[in-house]
Amino acid sequence: MKNTLYLVALGFFMSATFVIGQEPLKIGIIGLDTSHSIAFTKDLNAEKPVVPELANCRVVAAYPHGSPDIELSTKRIPQYTEDIKALGVEVVDSIDELLKRVDCVLLETNDGRPHLEQALQCFKAGKPTFIDKPIAASLADAIAIFEAAYKYNCPTFTSSSLRYGKQTQAVRNGSLGKISKAETTSPASVEKTHPELFWYGIHGCESLFTVMGTGCETATRKTTPEGKIEVVGEWVGGRIGTYREDKGYVGKAVGDKGEGPVGDSAGYRPLIVEIIKFFRTKQPPVAEKETLEIYAFMEAADESKRRGGEPVELEEMMEKAKPVAEKRLVELGVR
């Protein structure tokens, strides 16, 4: 027992020493209209590292403005601006000023509509950028963001914190073998400027794809007897994944090694750790293909609703979105 405790302590010490020895990382935040900005900064600017992986990292600057017209977002900015100042962060007047002060960026604007233009400034400056959910307010803009990142050779990724729930990650890593069926839930409050699942349903959809992986072919929008959103996806090989609106973060997966719970929340810290690894290694932990498939799934769910609950192919959504994305890139001078 003593030997075990000694080895655990030694491993923690060596990990901390390795990370602490790395170069300081100066981080900027765009958007003070979400609680994520404050939660992330509290961990990153703690007097002592809350976990070894976050050592030598600090949020040093923030640009407060995000959504121009979503009241839920705009009314938060004054208080969150004061909160971020209290954490030792300089508040600047423009994204250009922020980019002069930082090595990398947390794009936290709660509204997905400005993300393409904001991310483009970061990419042009060569700053690795994490884009909080939703990555955009349309599949077309999501595609354009990744195309712009390629253009300027600047790494980026997006993820809900729900991807890093312990049970969800265990199943993704093979604890139940090959998954044939899964269902996840999350709240799904709607913002009229975004496709319905983009605003909050993304959490449960991210959990679902974390477990099922890529290969979803169709999405069918349904309504539960309680009047809640339900979307059934069919994956290659007849595998079935279901997202259902509910008040909690739960779910179940069935694999060839048994079944077990998924969809749990582990809070923000596991995501923050992955973001910092990304900033240091420049290697995105979530593949572009998987992210775009999630957003195609959610956009297909909207289209299925418009068609009275018919199945909609994700590939159809992608093919419709690509020329729109290209037009956006031309308008912004990327092409």
Side-chain angles (χ1 to χ4, degrees):
M1 180 66 176
K2 288 182 179 179
N3 287 341
T4 300
L5 291 173
Y6 170 77
L7 290 172
V8 170
L10 179 62
F12 183 88
F13 173 77
M14 291 178 69
S15 174
T17 302
F18 174 75
V19 177
I20 291 171
Q22 294 191 14
E23 289 295 316
L25 199 61
K26 294 181 290 184
I27 301 167
I29 288 179
I30 297 174
L32 297 180
D33 56 354
T34 169
S35 60
H36 293 190
S37 299
I38 306 304
F40 289 3
T41 303
K42 283 181 177 179
D43 267 6
L44 291 166
N45 289 18
E47 186 176 344
K48 295 180 180 179
V50 292
V51 292
E53 293 90 343
L54 303 187
N56 270 358
C57 302
R58 188 170 183 84
V59 177
V60 299
Y63 172 69
H65 301 295
S67 177
D69 56 10
I70 296 176
E71 184 182 1
L72 177 66
S73 296
T74 58
K75 70 180 183 181
R76 293 168 168 171
I77 292 176
Q79 183 59 58
Y80 287 163
T81 299
E82 294 307 310
D83 292 345
I84 207 86
K85 288 179 179 178
L87 293 168
V89 179
E90 179 186 9
V91 174
V92 298
D93 294 330
S94 69
I95 292 176
D96 283 343
E97 282 301 313
L98 178 133
L99 293 172
K100 293 175 184 177
R101 292 163 166 77
V102 305
D103 303 310
C104 44
V105 176
L106 296 166
L107 205 173
E108 295 297 320
T109 302
N110 209 23
D111 184 348
R113 291 173 297 169
H115 281 182
L116 174 56
E117 290 87 346
Q118 292 175 328
L120 190 55
Q121 290 179 260
C122 301
F123 298 160
K124 288 180 177 179
K127 309 294 182 180
T129 302
F130 167 76
I131 305 176
D132 215 329
K133 62 84 189 168
I135 188 174
S138 67
L139 175 60
D141 266 19
I143 293 170
I145 284 171
F146 284 111
E147 288 295 320
Y150 282 134
K151 166 75 172 181
Y152 295 103
N153 194 29
C154 187
T156 191
F157 90 100
T158 186
S159 177
S160 159
S161 61
L162 269 288
R163 174 174 290 272
Y164 295 103
K166 290 182 179 179
Q167 296 166 342
T168 304
Q169 281 291 307
V171 172
R172 183 178 177 90
N173 291 326
S175 64
L176 298 180
K178 183 176 176 61
I179 302 303
S180 58
K181 183 179 180 181
E183 56 184 53
T184 59
T185 71
S186 75
S189 58
V190 173
E191 165 51 47
K192 64 182 180 181
T193 58
H194 292 60
E196 286 191 350
L197 292 178
F198 278 43
W199 194 247
Y200 223 83
I202 176 60
H203 290 306
C205 293
E206 186 102 35
S207 294
L208 181 64
F209 275 78
T210 303
V211 171
M212 293 291 294
T214 57
C216 184
E217 296 182 310
T218 65
T220 304
R221 170 75 175 267
K222 301 180 179 182
T223 303
T224 69
E226 298 77 25
K228 302 295 185 181
I229 298 170
E230 181 178 272
V231 185
V232 179
E234 183 166 345
W235 268 251
V236 174
R239 300 189 303 132
I240 301 295
T242 302
Y243 165 78
R244 189 174 298 110
E245 177 188 2
D246 207 339
K247 60 183 179 181
Y249 302 102
V250 297
K252 182 176 74 172
V254 179
D256 54 19
K257 294 182 181 179
E259 63 181 63
V262 295
D264 55 314
S265 172
Y268 297 135
R269 192 164 295 164
L271 173 58
I272 300 171
V273 168
E274 291 300 319
I275 293 169
I276 295 304
K277 288 180 184 177
F278 160 71
F279 285 157
R280 292 204 180 277
T281 65
K282 313 297 190 295
Q283 299 299 314
V286 183
E288 170 194 344
K289 177 179 173 62
E290 186 165 333
T291 291
L292 290 179
E293 197 166 299
I294 293 170
Y295 282 82
F297 173 83
M298 294 189 294
E299 204 151 290
D302 256 25
E303 184 63 25
S304 176
K305 179 184 178 181
R306 287 189 285 271
R307 298 180 187 178
E310 294 180 5
V312 173
E313 293 184 357
L314 272 62
E315 184 60 28
E316 178 189 344
M317 295 295 96
M318 288 292 294
E319 290 305 310
K320 285 184 176 180
K322 286 176 182 177
V324 181
E326 189 65 23
K327 182 181 178 181
R328 290 280 282 143
L329 292 171
V330 170
E331 292 170 349
L332 293 168
V334 178
R335 297 298 195 210

